[in-house]
Amino acid sequence: MSSTVIASTEDNAVKVDMRQTLTTPHNDPNNPFAFRPEQLAALQDPKNIDLLHIYGGLEGVARGIHADIHKGLPAPTAETQYKNITLHDITLDAAQLTTAIDSTEPTDNTTHNHTDDNTSSSASNKRTAIFGANTLPPVKSKNIFQLMWLAFQDKTLILLAVAAVVSLAVGLYEDIAVPEYDANGNKIAGVKWVEGVAIIVAILIVVLVGSVNDYQKEKQFRKLNAKKEDRIVKAMRDSQTVQISVYDIQVGDVLFLEPGDIVAADGIFIDGHNVRCDESAATGESDAVRKQPFETCYRLTHVETKTEYLNVPSKNDSGEGSSVHSFISSDEPTTKKPNDHSKSHPDPFIISGSKMLEGVCTYLVTGVGTNSYYGRTMMALRTDNESTPLQEKLNGLASMIAKLGSAAGLLMLIVLFIRYFVNWKYDGIPTVATEIVQQVMGILIVVVTIIVVAVPEGLPLAVTLALAYATQRMLKDNNLVRVLAACETMGNATTVCSDKTGTLTQNKMTVVAGTLGSSFRFLQDAPDERADLNDIKTVSSLVPKAILTIVNEGIAVNSTAFETEHEGTMQFVGNKTETALLQFSKLYGDSKHSYEHIRQTTPVVQVFPFSSERKAMAIVVRLENGRIRAHVKGASEILVKQCRRIITVSKTTSSKVQSRAFTEEDQNRVDRIIQSYATRSLRTIALAYRDFEEGEWPGKEDGGDDEVSYEEVVKDGLTLIGIVGIEDPLRPGVKEAVKACQGAGVFIRMVTGDNVVTAKSIAKQCGIYTPGGVVMEGPVFRNLPPHEMDAILPRLQVLARSSPEDKQILVGRLRELGDIVAVTGDGTNDGPALKLADVGFSMGIAGTEVAKEASSIILMDDNFSSIVRAIMWGRCVNDSVKKFLEFQITVNITAVILTFVSSVASHEQKSVLTAVQLLWVNLIMDTFAALALATDPPTEELLERAPEPRSAPLITFKMWKMIIGQAIFQIVVTIVLLYSDVLHYESNDPILQTIVFNTFVFCQIFNEINCRRIDSKLNVFHNITANKFFIFIFLLCVALQAIIVNFGGAAFQVTRVDGVAWAISIVVGLLSLPIGAVIRLIPDEFFSWVFVFFPNARERYLGSSNGNGVAEKSSSTSPSIYVTGNERIAWNNANGSAGAKTEQAPAYYSSVTHEKSIDKQVHEEEDVAAPAYQQSFEEQNQDTILSSGSLDRHV
C-alpha cells in the first residue's frame, strides 16, 4: 500500500510524493545504480527534501549513481567498473524503505557476473541506457499526406464526398444510357458527370488549402524556434574542468553554474556561494530562489517554525514586511516572524529551464532529457488538438443538412412515384420492362439531384479560405497562427487567463519612482497636473551633479550585478533589485562615468554582504581625498531609523553634497513617502552613506584582517540619500488592450505565482482588477469544492500564488462551464494550461520553447495588445463564415424548392435548372462568393459586441430572417416567370428557361452584397472599398454570367437573349437589396410567435422575454462585466458596490465584507501629495481578498 506524506513548505501545504515505488529498491540485474529514472525525477517535482533524506542526501545520491562530487564522472577512456548498489546501501532512514512483494533478488553470481561486464567500454552507454540522454525524441510532425487525411475527416467534406460519388455515378449513367436531344433533334453533349467531378475537385481544393497552410505554418514555427539549442556547458570530468555539449550531459555529471546560465539538466546543489535562481520560467515563482546544501535546507525545513500564508497588510501593520520581503533574499537562516512570507526558504534542487541570477556553484546532475523537469513538461504537451467551437457547429450543420436533404429526397421520391403510378391509369402501363426501369431510374436521378443540391458545396472552402486569408494577414499584426482553427476560436473567446510576469509586465525590475532628500520626488510617466512630481527622465538635468555622483557611486560599488552581452544587446545580470538600480543609474544618472569605471577606480576597504538579519548590505571605500565612505542600501523602514542626517537637494552648483539634520518632521515625511510606495506594491530601497574623516575609521584602512562590524559603521548615524521604488513595469499598451478586451465582452483574469499584494497592484494598474472583483490564492482555489468554485468564478479576477496545477484547474473548470478560454503565458510553467485552453498565446521573443510548443498563436512582438487584433480577426473570420453561410443556404433552399416544384410539375420530371446550371450556381459562383466574403477586413465595430458562447446558434435569427425572406422572394419570382404568362413564353421555351436561369443567377449576385451585413444595420456597402477582392469578384461573376448566356449554348442549355430579357434579369436581381432592407427593418420580436411551443429555442435565438411577452436581449445596456457562462453582472451601481447574481456563496465568502471607502486621511496629512490616481492603502484593499489565512479563520 502506498504512503503519502504531507509536508508544509514555505508556500503552502504540498502533497509530497512518497509512492511505494519511490522508496522500493529495484531488482533489475541490468541496472547497477541504486535508482530508476522516475525515482530521481520525483525529487524535483515537487521539490521533495524528505525523499532526498531517505535517499541519503547528496552523498547518498552520488553513491547511488556511481558519481564523485569532487572529481566528476570518469573520462570515457578510463577503466571503470560499476558494482551493483541499492537504496539499502545509501539511505539515511531505512525504516522508510519498502520491499516489493513479488520481487526476487538476483543471486550473488548473477550480480558478480553483471558487474564484471560493466567495464569502461559500456560504462557510459550503461548510464545512458538507464537514465537516458539529454535530448528529447524528435517531434513526429505530420507529413502533408497525413495533414490532408486529417483535413478530410471533416463531416461536411465526407458528406460532399458521398454526394460526389453518387452524382458522378448517376451522371455517367445518364450520359451513357440516356442520351438527350435538343428541340432540333441534335444530341446534347453528355456533361452530367461534370458535377460529380467538380465536387471532387472542390473537396481536393479544400483539403489541399487547409493542409498546405497548416504545413507551412508548422515549418514557419520550426524556423522561428531554430535557435542554437546546442550550447556548451562547463563540467567536471575526471578532476578536470572541461567544456561539453548540453547533449552530452549525463546523470552523475558535476556541472558549473555562473550568473546568466540557463540550467540544462535537473540536479542537486553541491557547493557554491550566494546562489539565487530565477525559476519563473519553470514554476512561475517571480522571486529569486536561494540554493543551499542539502543539510542546511533539511535542518531549516524540520526545525524552523512553519509559516502561514501571506495575509493582506492592514493599516496597523508596521509595514516592515512589505519592502523587507521584497528586498534581496538572504543566504543566512533566520527564524521568521509568523506573518512573514517565507519564499526565502532555500532548497538544494536545481531545476532545468531556470536561470542563474547570481553566485556560482557546482551541482550533481540527477535528471536529463525526458526525465528532467523541462523534458517532462515538453513531452506532456505533445497531444492532439481538440475541435473548435466553429468546427463543432459546422459538423452539426452538416448533419442537419444531410438529414433535411435526405428528408426532401424521400418526400420527392414518394411524390414522384405516386405521380408516376397514377399516370399509368391515363397513359397505360408500359409493356416493355426496360422502359419501366428507365423511368424509375429517371425518378431516382431527380431525387439524387435534390440531395446533392441540398449540400452546401462551397461551405468548407469558405471556412478554409477565410482562415487562410486571416492567418496570413494576422502575421502582419504580429500574430503567428500555428493552428489554423485557433484564429476563429479566438473571435469568440469569452475569457483570457493571462500570466503576469513577462506577459502583462516586462519581467524586468525597474526603478519607477523615488525621492532624493525629502522633497525631490520623481515618477515614471508623471502626470502633468502634478507640479510637485518630476518625470524620471528629468533626474539627470534637475539634480545637482554632486548628488548624482554619490548616487551613482553608491549604486555601482555596492552591488554584485554586472553587464554582459546577450543576443546582441547589453543587459545587466544578477539580483533583480540590483540590476534595476544599475539600469536607473545608467539611464538617468551621471553619464560621465560607467559603473565599471567607478568600480575599477574606487578602492574597497571592506564589504558587508546582504544579511536578512540587518536587511541591508554595505561597502566601505576609500575616496580620492583619503577619507573613508560607507555606502549602505537596504530595507527602507530599517535604514531610515538608522539615519541622523538627510541630503538637501537644491539648485546649487556646489561640488559638495549638502546635508542637514534628520528631524522628526523629515522622518514622518519619509515614512509617508514609503507608505505611498507600499500602496502600489513597490519594492522600497533606501540609499544612505556615512563619511569617516581621517583617523575616524575604526579598522585598518588598508583592508587588513582587523575588520569592523556593521553595527560600528552605522551606530553614529547615516546620511539618507533617498528612497527608490522598484517594480516590474507594465508592457506598453497593456492598459489599452485590457480595456479594449473588456469592451469586447472578454473577461480578463490574471493568474500568477506572485504574492497577493503585488498581483493585486499590477492587476489594478492594468485595469483587470475592478470594484467587486475577487482576488484569491491558488492553494485556496484548488481546494474549493466544485459548487463553491462555481460561485466564485464569475468575479474571480486575480489568482495569486498559483501553481501550474491551479492554472489548469481554472482553465478546465471555465471550459466545463461553457467558456471559450484563451490563455497567455511565456514560461515553461504555463505550458500545460496553454495546451488545455481553447487558444494558447505564447511570447515569440521572451517565451520559452515549451510555451511556444504548447501555444496555438505566437505573439511575435510579445505585446499583450496583439491579442486585441487576434480577437478582431477571429470575429472577422466567424462573421465571414456566417456571411457565406447566409448566402449559401439561401441558394440551397431556393434551388431545392425550385427543383422539387418544377420536377413535380413537369411531365418528364425535369428540373427548371439543369445539372450544369446548378453546378455554376452552387459551386463555381459559391467559390468566388467564399473568396469575396472571406476577405472583408476587420473593423473596430467588431469589438463593440459580446462574444458568442459555445451554445449560440451558428445561424442567428437575423440570418434566418434574411435567408427565408430572400428564398421566398427568389422562389416567387422564378415561379411567376416560369408558370405565369407574364413574358408570353411557353414554360419549356429555351428563351424563358434562359431568362429564368439568368434572373436566378443575378438574384444570387446581388444577394452577395446583401450578405455583407449579418446584423440589422441597413448600409450593406459599408467599408466595401476596403475589400478589393469583393469588387473584383462581383464584376467577374457578372462577366462570366454574360459569357455563359451568350456562348454557353448546349452545354448550359441556354440561348442568347435580347436587351429586354437582360434588363428583366438584372432589375429583378437588384430587387434583392431593397427586399433585404425591408427584412432588416422587421423586428425580431415580430416572429416570437414561432417559438410559442419552444421556450428554450426562443431564449437561444431571441433572448429572454419580459412580463408582456416581448423578447429582450440578455445583455444589459448598463455597464457590465462579462462573467462565466455568458452571464453579465452590473458593477459600479448607484450604491457604489458591485451588483452580483444571487447565489449561495461559500461560508468564508460571506464573512469577507466590502468595506466602505475611508476618508483620504493619509493624503491630507501629507504635505507632499501622492499621485492623483493613487488611493489610500485601505481603499486599495477594500475588496474581497481570499487567502488561506481568511480560509483558516472563516471555514
Side-chain angles (χ1 to χ4, degrees), residues 5 25 191 237 528 892 1056:
V5 176
V191 290
R237 291 274 176 96
D528 296 334
N892 284 53
R1056 291 191 180 189

Side-chain angles (χ1 to χ4, degrees), residues 528-563:
D528 296 334
E529 62 271 15
R530 291 294 302 277
D532 58 311
L533 288 177
N534 300 286
D535 194 278
I536 194 170
K537 295 175 184 176
T538 64
V539 169
S540 58
S541 59
L542 297 179
V543 176
K545 294 298 180 185
I547 295 178
L548 282 181
T549 300
I550 199 170
V551 168
N552 283 358
E553 184 183 277
I555 290 173
V557 297
N558 193 18
S559 173
T560 58
F562 61 93
E563 193 173 28

Side-chain angles (χ1 to χ4, degrees), residues 687-834:
L687 302 176
Y689 75 98
R690 180 185 174 188
D691 281 343
F692 294 86
E693 299 295 336
E694 291 186 37
E696 283 188 7
W697 176 246
K700 292 184 179 180
E701 297 190 5
D702 59 359
D705 293 335
D706 187 14
E707 292 189 346
V708 177
S709 68
Y710 174 81
E711 287 71 22
E712 285 187 85
V713 173
V714 301
K715 69 177 180 180
D716 291 328
L718 301 171
T719 301
L720 181 65
I721 299 174
I723 309 292
V724 292
I726 300 173
E727 73 171 353
D728 187 1
L730 297 180
R731 286 188 175 277
V734 163
K735 293 180 185 177
E736 295 77 9
V738 169
K739 188 175 181 181
C741 287
Q742 291 170 339
V746 182
F747 192 75
I748 310 292
R749 291 178 172 87
M750 178 197 287
V751 186
T752 177
D754 223 328
N755 65 75
V756 170
V757 178
T758 303
K760 185 179 176 190
S761 172
I762 297 295
K764 198 155 194 175
Q765 291 179 48
C766 295
I768 292 174
Y769 179 64
T770 57
V774 172
V775 181
M776 183 178 278
E777 287 182 328
V780 184
F781 177 79
R782 109 173 49 120
N783 292 314
L784 290 177
H787 71 279
E788 293 186 1
M789 193 178 287
D790 295 349
I792 287 294
L793 275 176
R795 289 198 298 281
L796 179 64
Q797 293 176 335
V798 180
L799 190 63
R801 295 184 60 215
S802 61
S803 66
E805 179 194 2
D806 299 327
K807 202 166 188 177
Q808 277 185 284
I809 292 171
L810 174 64
V811 172
R813 193 63 195 157
L814 287 170
R815 292 189 68 193
E816 286 174 20
L817 293 171
D819 271 297
I820 298 171
V821 185
V823 170
T824 71
D826 64 339
T828 301
N829 64 303
D830 298 317
L834 286 169

Side-chain angles (χ1 to χ4, degrees), residues 786-1070:
H787 71 279
E788 293 186 1
M789 193 178 287
D790 295 349
I792 287 294
L793 275 176
R795 289 198 298 281
L796 179 64
Q797 293 176 335
V798 180
L799 190 63
R801 295 184 60 215
S802 61
S803 66
E805 179 194 2
D806 299 327
K807 202 166 188 177
Q808 277 185 284
I809 292 171
L810 174 64
V811 172
R813 193 63 195 157
L814 287 170
R815 292 189 68 193
E816 286 174 20
L817 293 171
D819 271 297
I820 298 171
V821 185
V823 170
T824 71
D826 64 339
T828 301
N829 64 303
D830 298 317
L834 286 169
K835 195 70 178 177
L836 179 63
D838 293 289
V839 183
F841 286 90
S842 66
M843 303 295 147
I845 300 171
T848 62
E849 289 172 31
V850 175
K852 292 177 189 173
E853 190 72 41
S855 63
S856 318
I857 299 176
I858 299 173
L859 303 178
M860 304 292 286
D861 58 351
D862 282 16
N863 197 334
F864 184 84
S865 57
S866 296
I867 292 175
V868 178
R869 297 294 298 173
I871 293 173
M872 287 175 63
W873 272 110
R875 294 187 178 186
C876 185
V877 166
N878 279 294
D879 280 5
S880 296
V881 172
K882 288 187 173 186
K883 289 171 187 176
F884 178 78
L885 202 55
E886 185 178 294
F887 175 81
Q888 174 83 72
I889 299 293
T890 304
V891 174
N892 284 53
I893 289 177
T894 307
V896 166
I897 294 176
L898 284 179
T899 303
F900 187 99
V901 172
S902 59
S903 296
V904 171
S906 169
H907 187 71
E908 295 84 13
Q909 287 93 37
K910 284 185 65 175
S911 169
V912 63
L913 299 172
T914 67
V916 179
Q917 290 172 352
L918 282 173
L919 172 66
W920 161 239
V921 172
N922 246 14
L923 188 64
I924 309 300
M925 215 177 79
D926 285 355
T927 304
F928 289 138
L931 190 59
L933 293 170
T935 50
D936 265 345
T939 58
E940 293 294 332
E941 67 178 19
L942 290 170
L943 297 176
E944 295 172 3
R945 67 179 196 230
E948 295 178 358
R950 289 179 187 273
S951 58
L954 182 60
I955 305 176
T956 64
F957 191 78
K958 286 179 171 54
M959 290 169 66
W960 275 122
K961 252 192 342 183
M962 188 59 65
I963 289 169
I964 294 170
Q966 290 288 344
I968 291 171
F969 163 69
Q970 292 175 16
I971 291 166
V972 168
V973 164
T974 308
I975 290 177
V976 166
L977 289 175
L978 189 61
Y979 296 114
S980 73
D981 197 27
V982 67
L983 296 180
H984 309 295
Y985 291 110
E986 292 293 327
S987 61
N988 59 353
D989 191 301
I991 294 177
L992 181 60
Q993 298 277 352
T994 302
I995 293 173
V996 168
F997 168 61
N998 210 17
T999 304
F1000 182 75
V1001 168
F1002 274 102
C1003 281
Q1004 313 316 321
I1005 290 175
F1006 286 107
N1007 192 37
E1008 197 175 321
I1009 298 175
N1010 206 41
C1011 291
R1012 289 192 70 248
R1013 293 211 79 108
I1014 52 175
D1015 52 21
S1016 295
K1017 295 181 180 177
L1018 298 178
N1019 186 7
V1020 292
F1021 297 98
H1022 173 70
N1023 208 34
I1024 195 171
T1025 54
N1027 189 353
K1028 303 294 189 293
F1029 270 116
F1030 188 92
I1031 297 171
F1032 171 75
I1033 288 169
F1034 180 84
L1035 297 174
L1036 180 64
C1037 286
V1038 173
L1040 288 175
Q1041 179 64 16
I1043 291 170
I1044 287 170
V1045 170
N1046 287 296
F1047 305 102
F1052 281 87
Q1053 296 180 37
V1054 293
T1055 185
R1056 291 191 180 189
V1057 293
D1058 56 17
V1060 175
W1062 272 101
I1064 291 170
S1065 299
I1066 293 172
V1067 170
V1068 172
L1070 193 60

Side-chain angles (χ1 to χ4, degrees), residues 309-311 777 780 1148 1151-1152 1185-1195:
Y309 294 111
L310 174 65
N311 294 326
E777 287 182 328
V780 184
Y1148 57 83
S1151 63
V1152 185
I1185 297 185
L1186 298 174
S1187 67
S1188 52
S1190 60
L1191 182 65
D1192 294 337
R1193 287 191 297 272
H1194 300 304
V1195 173

Side-chain angles (χ1 to χ4, degrees), residues 497-717:
C497 298
S498 177
D499 186 31
K500 177 184 75 70
T501 309
T503 306
L504 296 169
T505 65
Q506 299 176 24
N507 195 18
K508 186 170 63 177
M509 297 303 291
T510 307
V511 175
V512 295
T515 303
L516 296 178
S518 64
S519 58
F520 185 86
R521 301 186 68 181
F522 58 87
L523 182 70
Q524 191 175 57
D525 301 325
D528 296 334
E529 62 271 15
R530 291 294 302 277
D532 58 311
L533 288 177
N534 300 286
D535 194 278
I536 194 170
K537 295 175 184 176
T538 64
V539 169
S540 58
S541 59
L542 297 179
V543 176
K545 294 298 180 185
I547 295 178
L548 282 181
T549 300
I550 199 170
V551 168
N552 283 358
E553 184 183 277
I555 290 173
V557 297
N558 193 18
S559 173
T560 58
F562 61 93
E563 193 173 28
T564 185
E565 185 175 350
H566 179 68
E567 296 183 356
T569 59
M570 298 300 292
Q571 64 179 34
F572 287 103
V573 176
N575 180 277
K576 290 183 178 180
T577 302
E578 296 190 348
T579 58
L581 289 169
L582 282 172
Q583 188 70 22
F584 167 76
S585 174
K586 180 180 179 180
L587 293 177
Y588 310 117
D590 183 6
S591 59
K592 185 185 296 183
H593 300 301
S594 67
Y595 83 97
E596 289 177 323
H597 174 80
I598 296 173
R599 285 183 184 176
Q600 291 168 2
T601 57
T602 307
V604 176
V605 176
Q606 189 173 338
V607 176
F608 299 93
F610 178 82
S611 163
S612 60
E613 211 171 286
R614 54 179 173 256
K615 305 298 182 190
M617 63 189 293
I619 188 168
V620 182
V621 297
R622 186 184 300 108
L623 304 179
E624 293 178 355
N625 57 14
R627 289 193 302 176
I628 300 294
R629 175 174 290 169
H631 286 285
V632 187
K633 72 178 178 191
S636 53
E637 297 89 345
I638 294 176
L639 279 194
V640 165
K641 293 174 183 176
Q642 295 170 342
C643 291
R644 297 293 178 268
R645 299 187 66 80
I646 186 170
I647 65 168
T648 302
V649 182
S650 59
K651 295 181 180 178
T652 176
T653 57
S654 173
S655 60
K656 293 182 64 177
V657 177
Q658 304 295 320
S659 65
R660 66 174 191 275
F662 192 48
T663 64
E664 186 178 348
E665 183 184 350
D666 290 326
Q667 170 90 42
N668 293 334
R669 187 185 182 93
V670 171
D671 285 345
R672 288 197 299 270
I673 290 169
I674 294 171
Q675 181 68 14
S676 71
Y677 291 164
T679 61
R680 294 174 53 195
S681 291
L682 301 184
R683 299 185 179 189
T684 55
I685 308 298
L687 302 176
Y689 75 98
R690 180 185 174 188
D691 281 343
F692 294 86
E693 299 295 336
E694 291 186 37
E696 283 188 7
W697 176 246
K700 292 184 179 180
E701 297 190 5
D702 59 359
D705 293 335
D706 187 14
E707 292 189 346
V708 177
S709 68
Y710 174 81
E711 287 71 22
E712 285 187 85
V713 173
V714 301
K715 69 177 180 180
D716 291 328

